[in-house]
Amino acid sequence: GPNGLIAIGRHQAVVQIGSPAIFDPNTPAVTAGGDRFGRVLRVRDDGRIKRVIADTTAFEAAVDADGEGYDSNPVDVAAGRRSGYVVADAGANAVHVIDRNGALIRTILIPQDPCPGGPGNCFGDANLDSVPTGIAKGRGDIYYVSTLSGVVADFSVTPPDVNFWPGNGKVFAVNAATGAVEELATGLTTVIDVA
């Protein structure tokens, strides 16, 4: 279903549809409605699709900004006058800047911290993911992006304690025009949106 939504007119909205991490175009049971997974859509207020603006999952497949292989789950979208659309992609740990015609301008990786206790605690990854969860338009080319921590596992206890890393949730200011990223708020844990 729709993850992020922007009202753009009296009878239209722009919607970002999510995409399951297991999305596979060759598996019909998983892909019912798969032609909409990961898409930014312009929709009418009666729910009919006016047009597909972009395929966010295709951007992650092409870029893989975090180098961890394909993983796309676009969760929110914001619109700007000059930049078109900016999408927070939780699976990719990145923000995609898309022009009004749906072409990718740039993918901006959200900064990650080293895995606490080493890669074994982050399922083999050297870094603890910074997972974008929400996005809001600021002034000019600035967008505010909320994140929650990636998952950390403590295998020294039985059963293993698998949880979000406390205090690693953040809010970033992302410049859609330059790709610059600045930390604004830290010490949070499971931030799910920003306004």
Side-chain angles (χ1 to χ4, degrees):
N3 284 353
L5 180 142
I6 310 165
I8 58 166
R10 188 169 172 202
H11 297 288
Q12 293 185 49
V14 172
V15 178
Q16 172 63 67
I17 304 294
S19 175
I22 58 169
F23 176 64
D24 180 352
N26 300 313
T27 310
V30 175
T31 60
D35 59 332
R36 295 183 185 99
F37 284 166
R39 304 306 200 271
V40 179
L41 307 173
R42 185 179 294 251
V43 297
R44 293 184 169 95
D45 60 1
D46 64 3
R48 288 183 298 143
I49 297 170
K50 185 171 179 182
R51 77 179 180 100
V52 175
I53 296 171
D55 178 355
T56 307
T57 58
F59 302 147
E60 163 61 6
V63 175
D64 186 19
D66 64 2
E68 295 179 4
Y70 171 81
D71 185 359
S72 181
N73 185 16
V75 293
D76 206 357
V77 61
R81 289 188 181 137
R82 294 187 315 181
S83 55
Y85 305 98
V86 182
V87 174
D89 189 336
N93 302 318
V95 171
H96 305 292
V97 182
I98 305 163
D99 72 18
R100 293 216 173 268
N101 297 317
L104 179 66
I105 296 172
R106 71 180 40 85
T107 294
I108 303 166
L109 181 65
I110 301 300
Q112 302 175 353
D113 292 327
C115 181
N121 290 348
C122 292
F123 303 95
D125 292 336
N127 293 316
L128 178 62
D129 291 343
S130 291
V131 181
T133 55
I135 191 164
K137 176 79 173 81
R139 291 184 179 187
D141 294 315
I142 301 299
Y143 291 79
Y144 299 102
V145 178
S146 60
T147 66
L148 55 78
S149 163
V151 176
V152 175
D154 180 357
F155 294 105
S156 67
V157 296
T158 305
D161 180 23
V162 179
N163 216 327
F164 296 109
W165 189 252
N168 196 57
K170 301 174 184 177
V171 176
F172 293 91
V174 175
N175 187 314
T178 67
V181 179
E182 177 186 352
E183 278 186 12
L184 293 182
T186 61
L188 308 168
T189 300
T190 52
V191 184
I192 60 167
D193 208 351
V194 61

